[in-house]
Amino acid sequence: MGPPCDVCRDLLNIGSTGYYALPLPVRLPCRRCDFVLRLIRKFVPEGTEQNSHTIYLHIYHVAGERCQIQIVGRAKNRDPNYTDDDIDLATIYITAPNYSTWRPPMWPQIEVTRRRVARNSKDSSCIQFVRDNIHNCCSSHGITCSPSGPTAPPRRLVDIGSHHSLVYLKEDLDELYCDSEDGVSYSALSYCWGDPAELVLTKTANIEQHKRGIPREQLPQTIQDAMDISLRVGLRYLWIDCLCIIQDDAADWEAEASKMGTYYGQARLTIAASFSKDACSGIFAQRSEYLDIHTLTIEDDEGIARELDAQRVSGFNPEYDTGNIGPLGERAWTFQENMLSKRVAHFTQTGVIWECDRLLLFEDGWPLEKLDGLKSQLRATGSLSGCWKRVVDTYSQRKLTCLQDKLPALSGIAAAMHHRPGTTWRDHRYVAGLWEETLLYDLLWSSKWKEDVKCAPKRIGGPSWTWASVDAPISYFDRPQSNSMTDFTEITEVDCSPLGKNPYAGFAEGRIEIEGPVTQGKVIFRRISDTCFTYKLVFMPYLDVPYLYFGEPDVRFFPDTALDVNRSDIEPPGRAGLRRVDTVPKSSFEVEQTFLWMCMDDLSHLRSSQWTTAYGLVITELEFRPGYFTRVGYFRCVTRRTWSLDTLPASRRRICLV
């Protein structure tokens, strides 16, 4: 290729920059620069040259990671050290898929990707990528990627390999073909349902017919594609909820839904239809719309023409959470499907991503940066409370078609955490989405909803003290330091029983007896306009809380949902209190309300801090049940460090929270 010229000389050094002035020439005499010129022309948007910019390339590379080339536009006649106005035109990866050891002559000291990203996810190279990783994981990752408990096949599986045009629902497990000493190997599908009318569902009336055979062409495209993938990676059986659960049999649905976490955890492979919005969208994608790849040729030092692939970085971030890819990452049921699966093949718009407990690989073979995320925390043996709060934070942002599935769709993770080997978590008691041993702090959740008329959360039902009683993103952003907490309240009794046989699913009602300090205050609602409103909490004038800012205490109030005044003609009955409603009221009001002070973080671990934070619940007493309260919100109050509860005109009461 010859020696580098004055322009591309610096590009031989990783981390340095090469500049190319505009307008770009048609060709350059230096073959390195000519390659860069062609690279720029492939990825730089048309019209850039008219903006009088200089194009420069910056090479990023860390040993063991793929080389990243950033193409940036920079205005002429400006301070070279000032980069705020730089325009990021493209970030690309260089791939040499057809060569095992050869490296590009312009960057001989870096490694390049060896596997080409396919233009269509149905390509045999995509399936081979999944097959190779299944084999590697099963043969070399040992217990890390193996089910944590005894394995047993699901009650039902779909046999997709015994006939080319029919698939069979198998309920007699003795008929299943065991292809290994570990028993029946099967795959599981994680997907978005979409419109149930588009699905083929197993019901009481057709289960026997499904055992005799289901025509493959009658199934939605996503399910057909999953069957194709499963067979091509060598797995004859597939677990899929719409066919393996009797959808109109409440007892069967409850029993099988409670085992879904186990089914995904024991599957040899979970196929994630990450970008499919429904069961009819299919898994395979023609990626030309999403994948910007160009093949360029360059001569090596011996004059041999070599092909290089240049791929624009788009559609994924190396530091992403694999549970949040595409439409699949928006659905609540698929959260536990991903979190509990040992091996997942994510079929995305830009490539297949392999994930197991040891590896996170993109389709081109390069590892992605796997953060110490929630999935690995679930496998660990650390704090149950801290991990569970992260689970709730993440899960509650997802969507449910049936709001009553709020806890059932999370029951697999709750069960897995409860029985995690090597921990004491099994000694804890699960109560309607919270844990009894950390219940005082678990009650300190808040609804994250904007004060927008269209965004009011919906009520779900169940005990008012659980986050699962509202359909809203939940935050535990006040994560107090346990070693600096002063508890004001004591939980004396918890009575909460599940509705059915699944101890981690629905709870119709529950009662918590709490003894603690109670004060009075006001909740003020102001309807400012048709679309704007505010809820504000104020302490009564005689409440001695030191002021912080311009004569006002720093008090934040977080209503669980939209709140309205309880009136005598409205059910459920109540006196001058508050009740949760689904729509924002049209009229302003002020109402006296009860505050239950839960605990205080004295920030003793921060010696320089002058402040302390108290936490509590806003509760309303039921008219015909004295001493019984429902929760309507959460508050926190920041005040001076010298403040204590003794300054409050509080009465210590025993109340029952329902």
Side-chain angles (χ1 to χ4, degrees):
M1 171 166 282
C5 70
D6 291 339
V7 177
C8 66
R9 176 180 55 207
D10 287 339
L11 288 178
L12 292 176
N13 300 316
I14 301 303
S16 60
T17 302
Y19 293 89
Y20 293 84
L22 293 175
L24 295 171
V26 178
R27 290 190 63 86
L28 288 171
C30 172
R31 282 187 291 176
R32 286 186 179 85
C33 286
D34 190 62
F35 176 81
V36 172
L37 176 65
R38 287 183 285 144
L39 196 65
I40 292 173
R41 288 198 180 280
K42 292 292 186 182
F43 292 97
V44 172
E46 293 184 7
T48 301
E49 298 185 15
Q50 282 70 38
N51 295 330
S52 299
H53 281 72
T54 298
I55 300 293
Y56 73 92
L57 277 70
H58 193 78
I59 314 299
Y60 300 93
H61 183 253
V62 178
E65 299 180 7
R66 51 183 161 185
C67 178
Q68 187 177 112
I69 302 173
Q70 185 180 24
I71 305 177
V72 179
R74 173 169 294 181
K76 293 181 178 179
N77 304 321
R78 42 158 288 181
D79 183 353
N81 296 318
Y82 185 76
T83 61
D84 288 358
D85 292 334
D86 286 354
I87 302 174
D88 189 359
L89 301 174
T91 302
I92 60 176
Y93 292 140
I94 297 295
T95 305
N98 298 327
Y99 315 103
S100 59
T101 59
W102 177 78
R103 296 183 178 185
M106 70 288 292
W107 300 296
Q109 68 272 56
I110 69 171
E111 298 178 65
V112 292
T113 308
R114 304 301 175 191
R115 186 190 292 267
R116 173 169 283 162
V117 177
R119 265 56 174 186
N120 190 301
S121 54
K122 195 174 184 178
D123 191 273
S124 59
S125 64
C126 298
I127 305 302
Q128 189 61 46
F129 170 71
V130 177
R131 286 184 66 104
D132 291 346
N133 279 288
I134 293 175
H135 175 75
N136 178 51
C137 181
C138 293
S139 61
S140 61
H141 291 177
I143 195 172
T144 304
C145 297
S146 300
S148 56
T151 61
R155 181 178 180 183
R156 303 181 188 94
L157 286 169
V158 179
D159 184 352
I160 58 179
S162 57
H163 196 280
H164 70 281
S165 61
L166 294 175
V167 298
Y168 301 89
L169 182 65
K170 295 291 186 179
E171 194 171 35
D172 187 352
L173 301 183
D174 293 335
E175 295 180 2
L176 299 182
Y177 170 73
C178 296
D179 56 355
S180 70
E181 296 180 356
D182 298 329
V184 177
S185 295
Y186 63 93
S187 60
L189 175 62
S190 179
Y191 68 113
C192 297
W193 269 39
D195 185 357
E198 302 290 340
L199 285 164
V200 176
L201 304 176
T202 294
K203 297 185 177 181
T204 306
N206 64 12
I207 184 172
E208 294 303 322
Q209 176 59 50
H210 283 186
K211 292 178 183 178
R212 292 191 292 271
I214 307 169
R216 192 186 295 258
E217 67 274 7
Q218 292 183 6
L219 297 171
Q221 192 61 51
T222 298
I223 296 177
Q224 291 190 48
D225 289 349
M227 293 178 173
D228 182 42
I229 294 168
S230 187
L231 284 175
R232 291 170 71 185
V233 300
L235 296 172
R236 174 175 169 175
Y237 300 104
L238 174 67
W239 191 90
I240 178 171
D241 54 359
C242 68
L243 295 177
C244 296
I245 299 177
I246 305 176
Q247 299 295 321
D248 61 350
D249 185 329
D252 188 78
W253 190 94
E254 180 186 12
E256 291 301 288
S258 69
K259 300 173 185 176
M260 283 179 63
T262 302
Y263 292 164
Y264 281 94
Q266 294 182 353
R268 181 66 64 94
L269 173 70
T270 294
I271 301 166
S274 300
F275 85 97
S276 303
K277 66 181 186 298
D278 55 42
C280 297
S281 300
I283 295 178
F284 300 127
Q286 183 64 40
R287 297 170 176 168
S288 57
E289 182 180 349
Y290 314 103
L291 197 62
D292 191 3
I293 298 181
H294 300 277
T295 300
L296 305 174
T297 58
I298 188 171
E299 290 185 0
D300 61 16
D301 292 334
E302 299 176 355
I304 300 174
R306 304 277 192 172
E307 283 189 351
L308 293 178
D309 283 355
Q311 175 189 348
R312 184 188 298 270
V313 179
S314 62
F316 72 93
N317 183 336
E319 297 185 359
Y320 64 88
D321 177 2
T322 53
N324 290 322
I325 305 175
L328 195 67
E330 300 175 0
R331 305 304 303 176
W333 276 101
T334 63
F335 177 69
Q336 68 174 6
E337 295 169 7
N338 176 71
M339 296 297 293
L340 298 176
S341 295
K342 290 293 185 177
R343 306 177 191 92
V344 187
H346 302 270
F347 282 78
T348 76
Q349 291 174 329
T350 56
V352 179
I353 298 170
W354 169 265
E355 180 182 21
C356 66
D357 283 1
R358 290 274 296 274
L359 289 176
L360 187 63
L361 298 176
F362 192 61
E363 185 181 316
D364 59 8
W366 277 100
L368 302 177
E369 183 175 353
K370 190 167 187 178
L371 304 181
D372 184 19
L374 182 55
K375 198 166 186 177
S376 60
Q377 194 174 353
L378 280 176
R379 309 279 199 265
T381 57
S383 165
L384 169 63
S385 180
C387 181
W388 184 252
K389 287 179 172 62
R390 285 193 63 190
V391 167
V392 172
D393 281 357
T394 306
Y395 169 75
S396 62
Q397 299 180 50
R398 298 190 172 215
K399 301 173 184 177
L400 276 167
T401 301
C402 177
L403 297 184
Q404 300 305 320
D405 289 347
K406 195 75 166 182
L407 288 176
L410 194 62
S411 62
I413 291 181
M417 292 180 65
H418 202 185
H419 299 286
R420 175 68 179 162
T423 70
T424 60
W425 295 356
R426 64 181 65 244
D427 300 327
H428 295 218
R429 181 186 174 198
Y430 184 75
V431 285
L434 288 73
W435 299 89
E436 185 173 2
E437 281 67 21
T438 54
L439 190 54
L440 190 149
Y441 299 138
D442 286 1
L443 289 170
L444 300 178
W445 55 268
S446 64
S447 295
K448 293 189 297 185
W449 61 289
K450 299 177 182 179
E451 293 186 344
D452 186 327
V453 172
K454 299 179 181 179
C455 299
K458 301 297 182 184
R459 299 167 295 164
I460 296 179
S464 68
W465 41 263
T466 172
W467 57 267
S469 63
V470 297
D471 182 34
I474 300 300
S475 175
Y476 277 103
F477 55 84
D478 294 315
R479 303 180 192 272
Q481 302 288 329
S482 58
N483 60 346
S484 63
M485 294 302 298
T486 300
D487 298 341
F488 297 151
T489 60
E490 179 185 359
I491 296 176
T492 58
E493 185 178 349
V494 179
D495 182 12
C496 187
S497 301
L499 280 171
K501 296 179 180 180
N502 184 359
Y504 307 100
F507 294 77
E509 57 184 31
R511 176 174 58 87
I512 300 177
E513 288 194 4
I514 305 178
E515 183 177 337
V518 172
T519 61
Q520 296 300 117
K522 279 188 177 181
V523 172
I524 301 175
F525 170 74
R526 292 288 181 262
R527 185 64 183 255
I528 301 171
S529 67
D530 290 341
T531 59
C532 184
F533 63 93
T534 62
Y535 283 98
K536 183 180 179 182
L537 184 152
V538 296
F539 295 126
M540 300 303 251
Y542 54 80
L543 191 58
D544 183 18
V545 176
Y547 294 153
L548 296 183
Y549 308 112
F550 306 105
E552 292 290 336
D554 184 18
V555 179
R556 294 288 307 277
F557 173 48
F558 305 89
D560 295 340
T561 65
L563 303 175
D564 200 358
V565 176
N566 244 338
R567 299 181 177 89
S568 58
D569 59 339
I570 298 178
E571 294 293 338
R575 56 186 183 185
L578 290 174
R579 65 188 183 101
R580 294 175 178 175
V581 292
D582 291 337
T583 57
V584 177
K586 297 181 179 180
S587 302
S588 300
F589 62 79
E590 294 184 14
V591 61
E592 187 174 329
Q593 205 61 39
T594 303
F595 304 151
L596 174 63
W597 296 76
M598 300 288 286
C599 57
M600 180 178 69
D601 186 354
D602 62 17
L603 302 178
S604 59
H605 58 292
L606 300 175
R607 296 188 178 184
S608 60
S609 176
Q610 301 179 17
W611 315 110
T612 186
T613 304
Y615 307 88
L617 304 180
V618 182
I619 56 178
T620 189
E621 189 170 14
L622 301 180
E623 181 179 8
F624 300 122
R625 299 181 71 184
Y628 283 76
F629 291 77
T630 59
R631 168 185 162 140
V632 293
Y634 158 82
F635 74 89
R636 59 175 175 158
C637 175
V638 180
T639 184
R640 294 193 179 277
R641 188 173 178 178
T642 55
W643 177 82
S644 70
L645 189 65
D646 296 336
T647 63
L648 291 176
S651 60
R652 193 168 185 86
R653 290 185 59 184
R654 174 171 292 194
I655 67 170
C656 185
L657 201 58
V658 294

